């Protein structure tokens, strides 16, 4: 997982967010869930993360997204957003009722086209992170195979523009 703590107002010298319908939707969703410091935990998910077919999932099946969301629910973490990349994943988040999500159509870079589903979406994080930072949000980008036992925002140093692990 990587964390980036952006500055508010938007980061100087890096330009403005791209004025696209996707970015307008992203900004509105981030504003809905951000805490008072404009911090948001951002993750990406597709239907591979809900896999229950042990023959096609390299981790022996299981709903990784559900486990991730359950850890956030137990913490009562409200400033999270799941970017969903397909209708099934969006429907899953909507049905839960406690998983703020945003369905986006994001093109997978050609270099990732023939890789596993999780790898294909991994590279999409960087563009979302850049646009979110340019919008003035502080973003904690996380993978879905994490389980949080404490609110990670309480443990960031916030002494640099980017923190990573």
């Amino acid at each position: 997982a990587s964390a980036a703590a952006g500055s508010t107002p938007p980061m100087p010298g890096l330009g403005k967010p791209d004025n696209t319908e996707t970015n307008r939707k992203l900004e509105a969703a981030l504003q809905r869930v951000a805490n008072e410091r404009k911090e948001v935990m951002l993750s990406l998910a597709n239907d591979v993360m809900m896999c229950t077919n042990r023959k096609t999932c390299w981790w022996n099946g299981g709903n990784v997204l559900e486990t991730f969301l359950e850890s956030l629910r137990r913490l009562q973490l409200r400033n999270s957003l799941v970017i969903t990349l397909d209708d099934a994943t969006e429907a899953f988040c909507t049905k839960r009722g406690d998983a703020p999500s945003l369905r986006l159509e994001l093109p997978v870079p050609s270099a990732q086209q023939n890789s596993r589903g999780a790898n294909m979406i991994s590279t999409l994080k960087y563009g979302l992170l850049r646009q979110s930072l340019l919008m003035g949000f502080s973003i904690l980008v996380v993978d879905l195979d994490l389980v949080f036992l404490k609110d990670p925002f309480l443990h960031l140093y916030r002494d640099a523009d980017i923190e990573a692990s």
Side-chain angles (χ1 to χ4, degrees):
S2 62
S7 58
T8 303
M11 297 180 75
L14 295 180
K16 295 180 181 179
D18 298 336
N19 185 19
T20 64
E21 181 66 23
T22 296
N23 281 345
R24 287 188 291 277
K25 289 179 182 178
L26 176 62
E27 186 169 21
L30 292 171
Q31 287 174 344
R32 265 194 323 274
V33 301
N35 65 15
E36 63 281 348
R37 295 176 78 152
K38 291 187 76 175
E39 297 171 328
V40 177
M41 178 184 290
L42 186 68
S43 57
L44 279 84
N46 62 6
D47 60 349
V48 172
M49 295 293 104
M50 300 183 302
C51 187
T52 56
N53 183 342
R54 292 180 185 271
K55 292 183 190 240
T56 61
C57 297
W58 68 93
W59 64 87
N60 293 324
N63 193 326
V64 173
L65 176 58
E66 183 173 39
T67 302
F68 173 80
L69 293 173
E70 189 59 25
S71 76
L72 300 184
R73 185 193 63 77
R74 288 181 182 156
L75 289 175
Q76 299 179 356
L77 194 76
R78 304 277 184 246
N79 60 323
S80 68
L81 179 65
V82 178
I83 302 297
T84 60
L85 302 174
D86 56 67
D87 294 335
T89 308
E90 180 63 23
F92 177 82
C93 290
T94 300
K95 184 177 178 183
R96 275 187 64 98
D98 65 351
S101 61
L102 174 63
R103 171 75 168 94
L104 291 178
E105 292 285 340
L106 299 173
V108 175
S110 58
Q112 295 293 325
Q113 288 292 328
N114 295 319
S115 61
R116 293 192 290 205
N119 294 344
M120 284 194 292
I121 67 170
S122 182
T123 58
L124 300 175
K125 295 175 190 174
Y126 301 105
L128 289 168
L129 175 61
R130 180 181 184 277
Q131 294 302 315
S132 301
L133 290 172
L134 289 172
M135 292 171 190
F137 292 91
S138 297
I139 301 295
L140 175 64
V141 178
V142 297
D143 292 335
L144 297 177
D145 58 355
L146 299 173
V147 173
F148 291 95
L149 304 176
K150 293 182 180 180
D151 182 344
F153 291 99
L154 300 177
H155 303 281
L156 294 176
Y157 290 108
R158 296 178 181 87
D159 60 348
D161 286 339
I162 296 178
E163 297 183 39
S165 74

